[in-house]
Amino acid sequence: MTIPEHGYPLTAAISPRVQVVQTTDSTNADVVRHATESPAEWPHLSLLVTTDQRAGRGRLDRTWTAPAGTALAVSTLVDITRIPNASRGWLPLLAGAAMTRAIRAQLAGTAHTAELKWPNDVLVDGFKICGILAEVLPGDADAVVVGTGVNTTMQPVDLPVDTATSFAALGLECDDDRLLADYLTALDEQLVALADALGNAAAAGIVGEIEALCATLGRDVVVALPDGSQLTGHAQRLDVDGRLVVVDALGVEAAVSAGDVVHVR
C-alpha cells in the first residue's frame, strides 16, 4: 500500500488540514512539534498521515512498528477546550469508539465484527487491528494529539503477534480515505456531544454507545497494571470517568484507569 495519488478528498472535506508524508518516525511526535511551533496552523481535526511510520509509540511507552506500506498511521489534533477537566478521561474511549464505528463500516456486508477493547484498541473477530495513543500537547492542556495505527495491507506473516490481524489477513481491502473520514466524523460528533452535555458522558449518549461497542464488558479479564501488578476479575461496567470497574472473586470492586487487558473468556 502506498499513499494514493488522489490523496484523501473525503478526509479533506472534514479536516481543515491533511498533511501527508511518505515516511516519518512518529506521526504523534510530528504533530506535537508542528502544533507547538505553529498552533494557528493546526486547528481542530488537523491531521498528519503516512503509510510508513518507523518508530511509532503505543501505550505504556511501547514501540509500534510495521513494514513500510502495510499500515495506516494518523495523528489528529483535537481541541477539548469545551470539555470539563473531570471528563477528559473519556477521550481515549471516544477515539476508540469512533475508530470501531469506522472499521465496522468497512466490514459491512462481511461476516466479520469489529469491537472496542477497553480502553482504546479495536478488535476484529477478537484480534487487534488498531491501537490508539492520546497525549496532551505540552504547554496546552486544551489540545490533544490522538494517534491511531490501523493494520491495512499487512500480510499474516508480518503480523507482530498472534493476537493481531489486518484487513489483508481477513481477505479484505480497506478504503483508507473513507475510513479516516468516518473516523473523524464520529470522533467530532462525540466530542461535541460531550461538550454540549457539560461533560456528562451518560447524558451525551456516549456511555451507552461505548457499552454497546465494548467487547471487554461482561468478560472475565486479567489486567496488567502500570505498577507491574495484575488484577483478575469480571469486567462489570464503566464508572462515571470511563474507568473499567473490575470485580474480583471476593466481590471487591476496583476501578482501573490504565492497564493492558487480556480477555479470559
Side-chain angles (χ1 to χ4, degrees):
M1 179 185 69
T2 58
I3 297 294
E5 292 184 5
H6 60 274
Y8 298 91
L10 298 176
T11 304
I14 299 167
S15 170
R17 177 174 187 146
V18 178
Q19 182 163 325
V20 181
V21 295
Q22 290 298 321
T23 183
T24 186
D25 285 340
S26 166
T27 58
N28 259 33
D30 287 352
V31 173
V32 166
R33 183 177 70 256
H34 294 322
T36 299
E37 294 173 351
S38 306
E41 297 178 9
W42 287 81
H44 178 62
L45 295 186
S46 294
L47 63 85
L48 185 145
V49 60
T50 188
T51 58
D52 185 10
Q53 180 174 243
R54 303 294 178 85
R57 290 175 290 122
R59 290 184 296 112
L60 304 179
D61 293 325
R62 294 194 179 99
T63 57
W64 185 85
T65 59
T70 65
L72 188 68
V74 57
S75 291
T76 307
L77 193 287
V78 295
D79 182 350
I80 57 172
T81 303
R82 295 180 57 227
I83 297 176
N85 289 338
S87 302
R88 293 181 177 183
W90 284 98
L91 182 56
L93 280 162
L94 294 186
M99 185 55 80
T100 302
R101 286 170 57 181
I103 291 175
R104 280 191 171 187
Q106 296 283 319
L107 300 176
T110 75
H112 303 289
T113 302
E115 295 177 292
L116 174 66
K117 178 184 176 185
W118 186 94
N120 51 13
D121 288 341
V122 183
L123 310 179
V124 174
D125 303 337
F127 295 87
K128 181 176 175 178
I129 198 169
C130 171
I132 295 172
L133 175 68
E135 53 186 318
V136 177
L137 195 69
D140 185 358
D142 291 332
V144 174
V145 179
V146 182
T148 63
V150 185
N151 297 333
T152 50
T153 63
M154 191 178 297
Q155 297 301 310
V157 68
D158 292 320
L159 293 170
V161 292
D162 60 8
T163 54
T165 192
S166 70
F167 281 97
L170 298 169
L172 302 174
E173 184 175 346
C174 178
D175 181 338
D176 294 354
D177 189 22
R178 170 55 65 189
L179 179 78
L180 291 179
D182 287 347
Y183 165 66
L184 290 179
T185 298
L187 179 61
D188 195 42
E189 286 176 353
Q190 293 178 338
L191 290 171
V192 170
L194 186 60
D196 288 348
L198 304 179
N200 187 323
I206 289 169
V207 176
E209 177 171 1
I210 291 175
E211 288 178 341
L213 294 172
C214 188
T216 304
L217 298 179
R219 305 279 291 267
D220 289 339
V221 298
V222 177
V223 186
L225 300 173
D227 63 4
S229 63
Q230 287 190 339
L231 174 64
T232 300
H234 189 74
Q236 189 173 73
R237 66 180 190 280
L238 301 177
D239 71 4
V240 296
D241 298 316
R243 296 179 298 179
L244 183 67
V245 177
V246 178
V247 182
D248 68 16
L250 299 177
V252 177
E253 294 187 353
V256 180
S257 59
D260 278 349
V261 175
V262 174
H263 293 167
V264 178
R265 64 173 178 81

